[in-house]
């Protein structure tokens, strides 16, 4: 397993366009998370899945954002009608779930620039 | 309101010294606390996890302490090297198996 893969690495889009990002987690991991990070800040939680079920979505997340994880494997994050404030690094992570606690494995992220 | 605060945005230390980074939290009851390293343009990399009933955890040159009374975790890197220069993020999992909440990070520079 090569870790968590994210595609694309970079995306430049015009304001108002839709964008979609993909994340391939570690295959044994049943949890998948999406975070957003801006310069000088820590990762900010967006949403997460356990298998194919979306269990939580941040209250700060606009309705323009939607995520899916069909069949509990890869996940996509779509942003509709992008705004300049959406410019950020979008990070995907995966982990196991359980009572003992597990570290997350992050991908390298997708850097989105909205112009 | 809930807060996670890492003591400083940046910390400069001399090679060979021990770096100590602080993470304080307010209005959380964390089951676990984790530390990550992040290099520019990359995703965070998991370093250590410490549970609420553990006082200390070590891994090679790294040591983490967790004081639930003070609501604080300390992260130590002994015999620091220039290759340790990075941003270090504190993250906690609140009770109830919830997703990690991250601090802003501390940027560590180890000067040769």
């Amino acid at each position: 397993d090569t870790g968590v893969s994210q595609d694309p690495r970079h995306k430049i889009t015009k304001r108002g366009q839709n964008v979609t990002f993909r994340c391939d987690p570690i295959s044994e991991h049943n949890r998948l998370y999406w975070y957003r990070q801006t310069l000088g800040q820590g990762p900010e939680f967006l949403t997460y899945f356990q298998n194919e079920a979306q269990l939580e979505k941040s209250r700060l997340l606009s309705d323009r954002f939607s995520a899916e994880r069909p069949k509990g494997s890869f996940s996509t994050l779509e942003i509709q009608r992008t705004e300049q404030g959406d410019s950020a690094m979008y990070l995907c992570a995966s982990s196991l779930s359980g009572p003992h606690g597990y570290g997350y494995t992050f991908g390298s992220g997708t850097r989105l620039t909205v112009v | 309101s809930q807060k996670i605060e890492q003591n400083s945005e940046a910390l400069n230390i001399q090679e060979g010294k021990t770096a100590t980074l602080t993470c304080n939290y307010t209005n959380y009851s964390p089951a676990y606390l984790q530390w990550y390293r992040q290099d520019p343009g990359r995703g965070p990399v998991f370093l250590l996890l410490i549970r609420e009933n553990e006082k200390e955890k070590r891994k090679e040159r790294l040591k983490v302490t967790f004081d639930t009374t003070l609501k604080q975790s300390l992260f130590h890197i002994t015999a620091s090297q220039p290759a340790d220069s990075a941003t270090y993020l504190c993250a906690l999992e609140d009770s109830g198996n919830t997703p990690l909440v991250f601090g802003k990070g501390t940027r560590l520079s180890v000067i040769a």
Side-chain angles (χ1 to χ4, degrees):
Chain A
D1 205 334
T2 54
V4 177
S5 299
Q6 291 190 246
D7 185 68
R9 287 296 310 276
H10 303 275
K11 178 72 176 179
I12 300 174
T13 191
K14 291 185 178 179
R15 190 176 48 174
Q17 297 293 306
N18 299 345
V19 294
T20 300
F21 309 140
R22 177 180 169 122
C23 172
D24 287 272
I26 291 175
S27 54
E28 297 84 12
H29 288 178
N30 59 341
R31 285 198 170 181
L32 186 148
Y33 309 84
W34 286 99
Y35 284 80
R36 175 172 62 190
Q37 188 175 27
T38 53
L39 200 61
Q41 302 295 314
E44 174 191 30
F45 170 73
L46 296 178
T47 189
Y48 89 102
F49 296 82
Q50 180 153 312
N51 302 312
E52 64 273 13
Q54 187 172 18
L55 293 189
E56 190 175 335
K57 195 173 171 182
S58 169
R59 287 169 294 167
L60 303 175
L61 201 60
S62 158
D63 289 344
R64 297 183 295 105
F65 287 70
S66 62
E68 294 182 341
R69 192 183 184 197
K71 301 179 184 177
S73 55
F74 71 93
S75 176
T76 57
L77 178 69
E78 181 182 19
I79 309 174
Q80 296 182 326
R81 304 182 302 282
T82 52
E83 302 171 357
Q84 286 190 320
D86 297 330
S87 296
M89 174 79 89
Y90 289 83
L91 293 164
C92 175
S94 68
S95 77
L96 294 168
S97 63
H100 302 294
Y102 295 93
Y104 291 9
T105 302
F106 280 85
S108 293
T110 294
R111 180 165 296 286
L112 173 66
T113 303
V114 182
V115 298
Chain B
S1 64
Q2 294 178 314
K3 282 191 299 187
I4 301 174
E5 292 178 312
Q6 296 193 237
N7 58 326
S8 57
E9 285 190 15
L11 181 66
N12 298 325
I13 64 164
Q14 208 71 30
E15 182 178 8
K17 301 291 186 185
T18 296
T20 298
L21 284 63
T22 304
C23 175
N24 295 293
Y25 58 91
T26 308
N27 291 327
Y28 285 105
S29 299
Y32 312 101
L33 194 143
Q34 303 186 18
W35 286 87
Y36 288 77
R37 169 185 173 137
Q38 188 172 27
D39 292 290
R42 311 291 295 182
V45 174
F46 171 70
L47 296 175
L48 281 168
L49 176 154
I50 188 165
R51 299 181 177 85
E52 59 179 337
N53 60 349
E54 297 177 317
K55 296 290 186 189
E56 184 179 297
K57 189 74 81 68
R58 292 175 184 260
K59 179 183 174 184
E60 297 172 353
R61 294 184 296 113
L62 308 181
K63 184 177 88 170
V64 172
T65 63
F66 192 11
D67 189 326
T68 55
T69 302
L70 290 179
K71 299 186 186 302
Q72 182 181 80
S73 175
L74 299 179
F75 176 79
H76 307 271
I77 305 175
T78 58
S80 59
Q81 305 165 0
D84 295 326
S85 299
T87 295
Y88 290 87
L89 297 160
C90 163
L92 59 82
E93 181 178 336
D94 208 358
S95 56
N97 210 16
T98 54
L100 287 178
V101 180
F102 284 84
K104 287 186 178 181
T106 295
R107 191 173 64 253
L108 175 68
S109 297
V110 181
I111 303 158

